[in-house]
Amino acid sequence: MAQTTVSIRMDSELKKDMEETCSELGMNMTTAFIMYAKKVTREKRIPFEVSIDPFYSAENMDHLKKSIKNLESGNGIDHDLIEE
């Protein structure tokens, strides 16, 4: 079977972390990406759930911005923090 090259851009820290994880699993990144490609091709789907983190919803971001503005203006809400 003919081979081809695929280039992927990613953050250098992410690449380093992935290389370390792959190494711990006894493989390199090329093997991991080939495994991923074979699974996607075989199952005709992304082999994990892809979703949007609700933390970053527009409603939550608006709430956070208002809270920050209140804190910066000295109108923050006091509450008891539980420290473990």
Side-chain angles (χ1 to χ4, degrees), residues 6-61:
V6 176
S7 296
I8 300 172
R9 290 189 177 277
M10 69 173 66
D11 179 85
S12 60
E13 190 67 25
L14 175 60
K15 179 180 182 275
K16 179 180 153 281
D17 291 345
M18 185 168 175
E19 285 173 331
E20 289 174 4
T21 301
C22 288
S23 178
E24 290 173 10
L25 293 168
M27 68 178 89
N28 59 31
M29 281 181 43
T30 298
T31 301
F33 280 115
I34 290 171
M35 290 171 62
Y36 172 78
K38 286 184 177 186
K39 189 160 179 81
V40 168
T41 302
R42 183 175 51 251
E43 296 180 6
K44 305 292 188 226
R45 68 181 190 89
I46 302 291
F48 47 83
E49 184 178 335
V50 178
S51 62
I52 297 171
D53 186 340
F55 178 82
Y56 296 101
S57 69
E59 181 182 359
N60 198 42
M61 290 292 104

Side-chain angles (χ1 to χ4, degrees), residues 76-82:
I77 298 171
D78 290 330
H79 58 81
D80 294 326
L81 293 177
I82 300 172

